[in-house]
Amino acid sequence: MNIPSGRARYRPVIAALAAAVLAGAGAVAVGKAPALAAETTLRAAAAKAGLFFGVAASPGRLSSIVSQEFGQLTPENDMKPDTIATSSGGLRNTGNADTLVNYAQTNNMLVRGHTLVWHSQAGQLQGASQATLNTFIGNALTRWGSRIAYWDVVNEALDDNNNGRRRTQWPHSLSRDANGDGDYFDAGDTDVIRDSFRRAKEVVRQNNLNTKLCINDYDVEGLTVSGGARNNKAQALYDIVRAYTQGTERLIDCVGFQAHFNDNPNSVITADLQANIQRFADLGVEVHITELDIDDDLSNNDIGQGQANNYRKVVRACLNVARCTGITVWGIADSESWRSSERGLLFTGGSGNYQKKAAYSAVLDELNQGRSGGNPSSPPVSASVSPSASSSPSTPTDPSPCSATVSLNSWSGGFVATVRVTAGSSAINGWRVTAGLPTGAAVTNHWSAERTGTSGTAQFANVGYNGRIAVGQSTEFGFQGTGAATGTTLTCTAT
Ligand code: XIL
């Protein structure tokens, strides 16, 4: 599970990353990391932990630090429709994008294409039909092919102010709810998200590309927002990703949390960041932190240690979830940032002459701790509240076929439960977990399992892809609900 950090040929990078992701697909890593010498660049430390650490840049910013410190590159502006799209969905002006892709390839870095469908910086595509968007999607995807590991197919689909709705600005106004039932998931509906991903998937399949297709948004990072209320925007994104990954079509491969943390109450770093990453990961998609910058004001004007600690929390939350496979900062130095007054990045200085901030050292240190390193000084983001329970009396000679433990994230009036199912001394081909819920708790949502019952006793059984568990291995499913779930009991049976 090693992402090359030095100079090697490009194709093996994708293969190695895919292997890293597959290796992490079963469950979150547990246990102590072996004591290894600390790496001295973000890129190498991340690669050792099995994820990429990247940066957004434009051709004018490609100093040597980029390939030294970063293993992934996102064009900050040079692949947006206002730069590269014609009004009929053709391509133009791709020189800067080519420069960035070539640089990444030469330096063995992954590329994230950013972005195909977006209400902002739409340029000549502003107001285009879905057919024209589809033409553009096809042209852009085939222009760079598998040289682009991840593409943001749809960016910022959701509305602001925590209202949990889709944006109404174009292109989201292309959404048409044919039967007026309030969703966009029925056969007759036109939905720019679904239809853009359908077209992108079709192009990927037809051209046999390795490119993974992502949906990207901001203020979706926490399960909750400042003050503890539910993050409705995150919930809407979750519902969309679930609808388009758990059905007959698997349209979405990855979810990006932009993570522009600032003073907006919906944009704070909450303690449930990891739980939110986990529930998306449990849908089987990769999760990325795609545009990270952290306003120093979030730390009471402490440009030093406070901001560094905030960076640490975000990196740790990602490291603790196996399918969180990459973190990208939105620029190199504060002075060159789109939000320069908030001094949210890892370096000071500029024009290739950069100095590392405390935040840089914190990120490097946290990456060096690895997936299971867990810095004791950073608060845990989820608490285990219920001991494991098993279906049959557990004796040393007759061990239980499986066990289940729950990790609970709660807020006033609601909770998310992540349940880990572990096989005993024999492999199992299927499992059922019976959850005894406290009075007042009701399940509203679940993932990676079939469910019967919502309150009192609820049963969760494996779905097609997670029934088989090898000896001592585990898988996870989750559910969300209203009320309080502290005291939930679990019983696991092999089926
Ligand atoms: C920003 C760039 O950083 C700026 O240079 C540009 O002027 C505006 O766009 N969300 C996104 C990014 O998805 O594309 C935006 O990038 C920042 C917010």
Side-chain angles (χ1 to χ4, degrees), residues 370-393:
R371 291 280 187 191
S372 52
N375 183 338
S377 67
S378 38
V381 291
S382 70
S384 250
V385 295
S386 171
S388 59
S390 59
S391 60
S392 53

PDB file of all heavy atoms in Angstrom, residues 370-393:
ATOM      1  N   GLY A 370       0.470   8.429  10.472  1.00  0.00           N
ATOM      2  CA  GLY A 370      -0.169   7.377   9.688  1.00  0.00           C
ATOM      3  C   GLY A 370      -1.636   7.194  10.021  1.00  0.00           C
ATOM      4  O   GLY A 370      -2.207   7.915  10.838  1.00  0.00           O
ATOM      5  N   ARG A 371      -2.220   6.217   9.346  1.00  0.00           N
ATOM      6  CA  ARG A 371      -3.661   5.964   9.475  1.00  0.00           C
ATOM      7  C   ARG A 371      -4.075   5.681  10.907  1.00  0.00           C
ATOM      8  O   ARG A 371      -5.136   6.069  11.338  1.00  0.00           O
ATOM      9  CB  ARG A 371      -4.042   4.746   8.629  1.00  0.00           C
ATOM     10  CG  ARG A 371      -3.949   4.977   7.144  1.00  0.00           C
ATOM     11  CD  ARG A 371      -5.158   5.708   6.645  1.00  0.00           C
ATOM     12  NE  ARG A 371      -5.185   5.806   5.200  1.00  0.00           N
ATOM     13  CZ  ARG A 371      -6.038   6.580   4.543  1.00  0.00           C
ATOM     14  NH1 ARG A 371      -6.912   7.310   5.197  1.00  0.00           N
ATOM     15  NH2 ARG A 371      -6.001   6.636   3.242  1.00  0.00           N
ATOM     16  N   SER A 372      -3.252   4.957  11.628  1.00  0.00           N
ATOM     17  CA  SER A 372      -3.680   4.531  12.955  1.00  0.00           C
ATOM     18  C   SER A 372      -2.878   5.224  14.049  1.00  0.00           C
ATOM     19  O   SER A 372      -2.948   4.851  15.200  1.00  0.00           O
ATOM     20  CB  SER A 372      -3.527   3.021  13.090  1.00  0.00           C
ATOM     21  OG  SER A 372      -2.220   2.651  12.721  1.00  0.00           O
ATOM     22  N   GLY A 373      -2.123   6.248  13.657  1.00  0.00           N
ATOM     23  CA  GLY A 373      -1.235   6.883  14.617  1.00  0.00           C
ATOM     24  C   GLY A 373      -1.946   7.570  15.755  1.00  0.00           C
ATOM     25  O   GLY A 373      -1.618   7.396  16.912  1.00  0.00           O
ATOM     26  N   GLY A 374      -2.963   8.345  15.416  1.00  0.00           N
ATOM     27  CA  GLY A 374      -3.785   8.987  16.440  1.00  0.00           C
ATOM     28  C   GLY A 374      -2.982   9.810  17.429  1.00  0.00           C
ATOM     29  O   GLY A 374      -2.372   9.279  18.328  1.00  0.00           O
ATOM     30  N   ASN A 375      -2.955  11.106  17.234  1.00  0.00           N
ATOM     31  CA  ASN A 375      -2.220  11.951  18.166  1.00  0.00           C
ATOM     32  C   ASN A 375      -3.054  12.135  19.424  1.00  0.00           C
ATOM     33  O   ASN A 375      -4.160  12.634  19.372  1.00  0.00           O
ATOM     34  CB  ASN A 375      -1.975  13.309  17.486  1.00  0.00           C
ATOM     35  CG  ASN A 375      -1.169  14.216  18.354  1.00  0.00           C
ATOM     36  OD1 ASN A 375      -1.117  14.034  19.573  1.00  0.00           O
ATOM     37  ND2 ASN A 375      -0.542  15.186  17.753  1.00  0.00           N
ATOM     38  N   PRO A 376      -2.550  11.723  20.579  1.00  0.00           N
ATOM     39  CA  PRO A 376      -3.350  11.812  21.796  1.00  0.00           C
ATOM     40  C   PRO A 376      -3.816  13.232  22.108  1.00  0.00           C
ATOM     41  O   PRO A 376      -4.805  13.414  22.771  1.00  0.00           O
ATOM     42  CB  PRO A 376      -2.406  11.318  22.885  1.00  0.00           C
ATOM     43  CG  PRO A 376      -1.245  10.703  22.194  1.00  0.00           C
ATOM     44  CD  PRO A 376      -1.217  11.214  20.797  1.00  0.00           C
ATOM     45  N   SER A 377      -3.091  14.244  21.576  1.00  0.00           N
ATOM     46  CA  SER A 377      -3.480  15.616  21.898  1.00  0.00           C
ATOM     47  C   SER A 377      -4.657  16.090  21.056  1.00  0.00           C
ATOM     48  O   SER A 377      -5.288  17.070  21.374  1.00  0.00           O
ATOM     49  CB  SER A 377      -2.304  16.564  21.713  1.00  0.00           C
ATOM     50  OG  SER A 377      -1.978  16.638  20.346  1.00  0.00           O
ATOM     51  N   SER A 378      -4.947  15.374  19.945  1.00  0.00           N
ATOM     52  CA  SER A 378      -6.117  15.797  19.178  1.00  0.00           C
ATOM     53  C   SER A 378      -7.333  15.021  19.678  1.00  0.00           C
ATOM     54  O   SER A 378      -7.288  13.816  19.809  1.00  0.00           O
ATOM     55  CB  SER A 378      -5.914  15.593  17.687  1.00  0.00           C
ATOM     56  OG  SER A 378      -5.230  14.419  17.433  1.00  0.00           O
ATOM     57  N   PRO A 379      -8.436  15.722  19.987  1.00  0.00           N
ATOM     58  CA  PRO A 379      -9.578  15.054  20.589  1.00  0.00           C
ATOM     59  C   PRO A 379     -10.161  14.011  19.649  1.00  0.00           C
ATOM     60  O   PRO A 379     -10.217  14.244  18.443  1.00  0.00           O
ATOM     61  CB  PRO A 379     -10.573  16.200  20.804  1.00  0.00           C
ATOM     62  CG  PRO A 379     -10.104  17.300  19.937  1.00  0.00           C
ATOM     63  CD  PRO A 379      -8.647  17.118  19.728  1.00  0.00           C
ATOM     64  N   PRO A 380     -10.583  12.867  20.175  1.00  0.00           N
ATOM     65  CA  PRO A 380     -11.213  11.877  19.318  1.00  0.00           C
ATOM     66  C   PRO A 380     -12.511  12.444  18.764  1.00  0.00           C
ATOM     67  O   PRO A 380     -13.175  13.232  19.441  1.00  0.00           O
ATOM     68  CB  PRO A 380     -11.475  10.697  20.259  1.00  0.00           C
ATOM     69  CG  PRO A 380     -11.433  11.273  21.628  1.00  0.00           C
ATOM     70  CD  PRO A 380     -10.548  12.478  21.568  1.00  0.00           C
ATOM     71  N   VAL A 381     -12.851  12.082  17.549  1.00  0.00           N
ATOM     72  CA  VAL A 381     -14.055  12.649  16.955  1.00  0.00           C
ATOM     73  C   VAL A 381     -15.255  11.728  17.071  1.00  0.00           C
ATOM     74  O   VAL A 381     -16.343  12.099  16.738  1.00  0.00           O
ATOM     75  CB  VAL A 381     -13.819  13.033  15.489  1.00  0.00           C
ATOM     76  CG1 VAL A 381     -12.883  14.202  15.386  1.00  0.00           C
ATOM     77  CG2 VAL A 381     -13.301  11.846  14.721  1.00  0.00           C
ATOM     78  N   SER A 382     -15.051  10.521  17.529  1.00  0.00           N
ATOM     79  CA  SER A 382     -16.218   9.696  17.805  1.00  0.00           C
ATOM     80  C   SER A 382     -15.926   8.857  19.045  1.00  0.00           C
ATOM     81  O   SER A 382     -14.788   8.525  19.308  1.00  0.00           O
ATOM     82  CB  SER A 382     -16.543   8.796  16.616  1.00  0.00           C
ATOM     83  OG  SER A 382     -15.564   7.805  16.493  1.00  0.00           O
ATOM     84  N   ALA A 383     -16.951   8.553  19.766  1.00  0.00           N
ATOM     85  CA  ALA A 383     -16.757   7.799  21.000  1.00  0.00           C
ATOM     86  C   ALA A 383     -17.457   6.462  20.903  1.00  0.00           C
ATOM     87  O   ALA A 383     -18.583   6.375  20.449  1.00  0.00           O
ATOM     88  CB  ALA A 383     -17.327   8.591  22.164  1.00  0.00           C
ATOM     89  N   SER A 384     -16.775   5.424  21.301  1.00  0.00           N
ATOM     90  CA  SER A 384     -17.402   4.107  21.349  1.00  0.00           C
ATOM     91  C   SER A 384     -18.269   4.048  22.585  1.00  0.00           C
ATOM     92  O   SER A 384     -17.800   4.300  23.687  1.00  0.00           O
ATOM     93  CB  SER A 384     -16.332   3.036  21.440  1.00  0.00           C
ATOM     94  OG  SER A 384     -16.272   2.333  20.243  1.00  0.00           O
ATOM     95  N   VAL A 385     -19.534   3.758  22.437  1.00  0.00           N
ATOM     96  CA  VAL A 385     -20.397   3.807  23.611  1.00  0.00           C
ATOM     97  C   VAL A 385     -20.950   2.449  24.000  1.00  0.00           C
ATOM     98  O   VAL A 385     -21.468   2.281  25.074  1.00  0.00           O
ATOM     99  CB  VAL A 385     -21.596   4.751  23.386  1.00  0.00           C
ATOM    100  CG1 VAL A 385     -21.116   6.161  23.223  1.00  0.00           C
ATOM    101  CG2 VAL A 385     -22.420   4.306  22.200  1.00  0.00           C
ATOM    102  N   SER A 386     -20.890   1.504  23.111  1.00  0.00           N
ATOM    103  CA  SER A 386     -21.525   0.241  23.445  1.00  0.00           C
ATOM    104  C   SER A 386     -20.530  -0.891  23.271  1.00  0.00           C
ATOM    105  O   SER A 386     -19.840  -0.953  22.270  1.00  0.00           O
ATOM    106  CB  SER A 386     -22.712   0.025  22.506  1.00  0.00           C
ATOM    107  OG  SER A 386     -23.217  -1.265  22.672  1.00  0.00           O
ATOM    108  N   PRO A 387     -20.460  -1.772  24.244  1.00  0.00           N
ATOM    109  CA  PRO A 387     -19.553  -2.898  24.074  1.00  0.00           C
ATOM    110  C   PRO A 387     -20.077  -3.845  23.003  1.00  0.00           C
ATOM    111  O   PRO A 387     -21.240  -3.801  22.640  1.00  0.00           O
ATOM    112  CB  PRO A 387     -19.580  -3.557  25.448  1.00  0.00           C
ATOM    113  CG  PRO A 387     -20.894  -3.182  26.017  1.00  0.00           C
ATOM    114  CD  PRO A 387     -21.244  -1.849  25.450  1.00  0.00           C
ATOM    115  N   SER A 388     -19.211  -4.690  22.520  1.00  0.00           N
ATOM    116  CA  SER A 388     -19.667  -5.639  21.512  1.00  0.00           C
ATOM    117  C   SER A 388     -20.582  -6.670  22.157  1.00  0.00           C
ATOM    118  O   SER A 388     -20.523  -6.933  23.352  1.00  0.00           O
ATOM    119  CB  SER A 388     -18.467  -6.331  20.887  1.00  0.00           C
ATOM    120  OG  SER A 388     -17.735  -6.985  21.876  1.00  0.00           O
ATOM    121  N   ALA A 389     -21.441  -7.227  21.368  1.00  0.00           N
ATOM    122  CA  ALA A 389     -22.323  -8.268  21.865  1.00  0.00           C
ATOM    123  C   ALA A 389     -22.323  -9.387  20.829  1.00  0.00           C
ATOM    124  O   ALA A 389     -22.019  -9.159  19.672  1.00  0.00           O
ATOM    125  CB  ALA A 389     -23.731  -7.726  22.022  1.00  0.00           C
ATOM    126  N   SER A 390     -22.620 -10.582  21.217  1.00  0.00           N
ATOM    127  CA  SER A 390     -22.595 -11.670  20.254  1.00  0.00           C
ATOM    128  C   SER A 390     -23.843 -12.509  20.399  1.00  0.00           C
ATOM    129  O   SER A 390     -24.569 -12.424  21.383  1.00  0.00           O
ATOM    130  CB  SER A 390     -21.346 -12.512  20.448  1.00  0.00           C
ATOM    131  OG  SER A 390     -21.354 -13.014  21.758  1.00  0.00           O
ATOM    132  N   SER A 391     -24.084 -13.357  19.421  1.00  0.00           N
ATOM    133  CA  SER A 391     -25.355 -14.051  19.347  1.00  0.00           C
ATOM    134  C   SER A 391     -25.401 -15.289  20.213  1.00  0.00           C
ATOM    135  O   SER A 391     -26.449 -15.724  20.618  1.00  0.00           O
ATOM    136  CB  SER A 391     -25.611 -14.463  17.913  1.00  0.00           C
ATOM    137  OG  SER A 391     -24.568 -15.322  17.514  1.00  0.00           O
ATOM    138  N   SER A 392     -24.277 -15.883  20.463  1.00  0.00           N
ATOM    139  CA  SER A 392     -24.300 -17.117  21.226  1.00  0.00           C
ATOM    140  C   SER A 392     -23.326 -16.969  22.384  1.00  0.00           C
ATOM    141  O   SER A 392     -22.420 -16.151  22.334  1.00  0.00           O
ATOM    142  CB  SER A 392     -23.890 -18.277  20.329  1.00  0.00           C
ATOM    143  OG  SER A 392     -22.659 -17.985  19.723  1.00  0.00           O
ATOM    144  N   PRO A 393     -23.510 -17.783  23.431  1.00  0.00           N
ATOM    145  CA  PRO A 393     -22.610 -17.657  24.565  1.00  0.00           C
ATOM    146  C   PRO A 393     -21.173 -17.811  24.099  1.00  0.00           C
ATOM    147  O   PRO A 393     -20.857 -18.694  23.311  1.00  0.00           O
ATOM    148  CB  PRO A 393     -23.013 -18.810  25.482  1.00  0.00           C
ATOM    149  CG  PRO A 393     -24.315 -19.306  24.971  1.00  0.00           C
ATOM    150  CD  PRO A 393     -24.445 -18.878  23.565  1.00  0.00           C
TER     151      PRO A 393
END
